[in-house]
């Protein structure tokens, strides 16, 4: 079955860096675009970034562009989110999500369990 | 960029009642690129509807989506106890490539 398992979260000081990982299994990882979505505690969902299936195309939300970098290793079936210059407002649960492939539309059909990143001194 | 607005913010209903949730876009968008999710406390979101009206795998038929242009609707025909949750709509932008969510509608027990 499809599984997405995030790791790498924790407490980090403002201005520091952190890298999240998302290990995928149960599907052909290299065929799917993958996303990161975050959710501050008690708040709504915020899309963060996407990477194409081959890793060549990447897009970012304005709130993280220039500070966060998405990458993937299709040989290891793993998605990454490298976060630099972290701010208190980056505190959130971070989810990786798979983008559905369909001719009638799209959505995020599988999500990880979420990984909490807390930016605090 | 297209901005999504959801209404109402909170919908208080009883089990068995019909729920109608609205998602409005600031500009017209293709229905292909509109999805709905359900999120319960402490859980990851779950895809309900994609392409504005296609139910995702395993989603009961009491959930339906409709709409086009700037106005989209998620309808739950008869609320079950497990349906009380927060619901988000999401746009899949083609240019620019952004994927914003609406602010959400909370459906709680009256």
């Amino acid at each position: 079955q499809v599984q997405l398992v995030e790791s790498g979260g924790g407490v980090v000081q403002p201005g520091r860096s952190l890298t999240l990982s998302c290990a995928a299994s149960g599907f052909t990882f290299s065929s799917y675009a993958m996303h990161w979505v975050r959710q501050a505690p008690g708040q709504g969902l915020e899309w963060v970034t996407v990477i194409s299936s081959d890793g060549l195309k990447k897009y970012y939300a304005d709130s993280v562009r220039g500070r966060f970098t998405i990458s993937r290793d299709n040989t290891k079936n793993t998605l990454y989110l490298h976060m630099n210059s972290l701010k208190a407002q980056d505190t959130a649960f971070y989810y990786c999500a798979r983008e559905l492939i369909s001719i009638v539309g799209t959505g995020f059909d599988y999500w990880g369990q979420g990984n909490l990143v807390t930016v605090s001194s | 960029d297209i901005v999504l607005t959801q209404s109402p913010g909170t919908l208080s209903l009883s089990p068995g009642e019909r729920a109608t949730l609205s998602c409005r876009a600031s500009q017209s968008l293709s229905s292909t690129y509109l999805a709905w999710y359900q999120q319960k406390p402490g859980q990851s979101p779950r895809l309900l509807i994609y392409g504005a009206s296609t139910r995702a795998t395993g989603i009961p038929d009491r959930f339906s989506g409709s709409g086009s242009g700037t106005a989209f609707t998620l309808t739950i025909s008869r609320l079950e106890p497990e349906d009380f949750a927060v619901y988000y709509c999401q746009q899949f932008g083609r240019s620019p490539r952004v994927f914003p969510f609406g602010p959400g509608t909370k459906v709680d027990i009256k």
Side-chain angles (χ1 to χ4, degrees), chain B residues 76-90:
Chain B
I76 310 171
S77 58
R78 288 177 54 85
L79 282 164
E80 296 288 342
E82 62 268 25
D83 299 336
F84 292 93
V86 180
Y87 293 84
Y88 297 93
C89 59
Q90 182 192 25

Side-chain angles (χ1 to χ4, degrees), chain B residues 12-76:
Chain B
S12 296
L13 295 168
S14 300
E17 289 192 297
R18 181 184 187 90
T20 302
L21 287 66
S22 172
C23 175
R24 291 192 175 270
S26 58
Q27 302 172 40
S28 181
L29 62 93
S30 169
S31 59
T32 302
Y33 304 123
L34 195 287
W36 289 93
Y37 301 85
Q38 175 194 68
Q39 187 179 31
K40 299 178 183 179
Q43 296 185 16
S44 303
R46 177 173 71 148
L47 178 65
L48 297 176
I49 301 286
Y50 61 96
S53 60
T54 301
R55 275 188 299 278
T57 302
I59 301 303
D61 60 8
R62 64 179 181 273
F63 291 92
S64 63
S66 62
S68 62
T70 61
F72 298 88
T73 301
L74 174 69
T75 302
I76 310 171

